[in-house]
Amino acid sequence: MEIKKNNYFWQEKNLQQLTGDEWESLCDGCARCCLHKLEDEDTGEIFFTRLACRLLDIPSCRCTRYAKRCELVEGCLDLRVGFSQFHWLPSTCAYRLLAEGKALPQWHPLVCGDTQAMHAAGIGIGSFAIAESPSLDPSDFVVEWLV
Ligand code: SF4
């Protein structure tokens, strides 16, 4: 993937106008979206848990079957198709930030040029996530983000 340095395309286009490479480059690789979530039926509030999707390689925060993820995992969403679904993403996610008219954070790889800055800022889930299991109740593993 080739993205020109100092090309702040995300400030000049809306999400629907991005090329495929531009879209993919917005993902910081935190894998927070790969954690199981709970939704309060009354308020709609979303709660993240430490339980990660079975397809996620937790230490690297990478999906092991990215191209086929939506076929393999019920409920996995292609964000480019589900444009109205940003509300359940973490508040740090570039897609949600841009959908809400906000700026990307300083640790974002496209802003600082360092793919590790996101981890240094405590955004990645590799240090605390655990693999999902039928024996684990997600409500026992709710997390609160520090950032
Ligand atoms: S939460 Fe957003 S930035 Fe983080 S991995 Fe998921 S799509 Fe990418």
Side-chain angles (χ1 to χ4, degrees):
M1 181 190 319
E2 189 173 330
I3 301 292
K4 273 194 294 179
K5 201 169 179 204
N6 299 328
N7 172 10
Y8 296 101
F9 60 86
W10 63 91
Q11 296 175 339
E12 294 159 2
K13 299 179 177 181
N14 63 42
L15 288 170
Q16 286 92 337
Q17 295 171 322
L18 300 180
T19 67
D21 280 355
E22 287 170 343
W23 176 274
E24 293 297 328
S25 72
L26 280 172
C27 176
D28 61 45
C30 69
R32 287 186 174 191
C33 61
C34 304
L35 296 173
H36 286 277
K37 292 160 276 299
L38 300 169
E39 183 174 18
D40 186 313
E41 285 182 1
D42 297 325
T43 66
E45 188 176 358
I46 305 292
F47 298 91
F48 283 79
T49 78
R50 293 171 56 209
L51 302 183
C53 170
R54 61 186 168 84
L55 295 186
L56 187 71
D57 177 62
I58 293 175
S60 68
C61 294
R62 293 283 172 190
C63 180
T64 57
R65 302 294 303 278
Y66 185 70
K68 295 253 181 198
R69 66 196 188 287
C70 295
E71 296 167 40
L72 296 171
V73 175
E74 186 182 356
C76 186
L77 188 68
D78 183 342
L79 289 174
R80 282 207 98 166
V81 177
F83 262 111
S84 62
Q85 305 283 333
F86 294 114
H87 66 284
W88 61 263
L89 289 166
S91 58
T92 55
C93 175
Y95 302 110
R96 178 171 169 179
L97 288 168
L98 294 180
E100 294 176 345
K102 297 174 181 168
L104 297 186
Q106 284 303 310
W107 48 258
H108 193 283
L110 289 177
V111 176
C112 70
D114 177 2
T115 57
Q116 294 306 305
M118 174 273 297
H119 291 292
I123 308 300
I125 66 161
S127 64
F128 69 86
I130 56 177
E132 66 175 333
S133 163
S135 65
L136 300 177
D137 180 349
S139 63
D140 291 334
F141 294 89
V142 170
V143 291
E144 294 220 9
W145 307 122
L146 296 177
V147 284

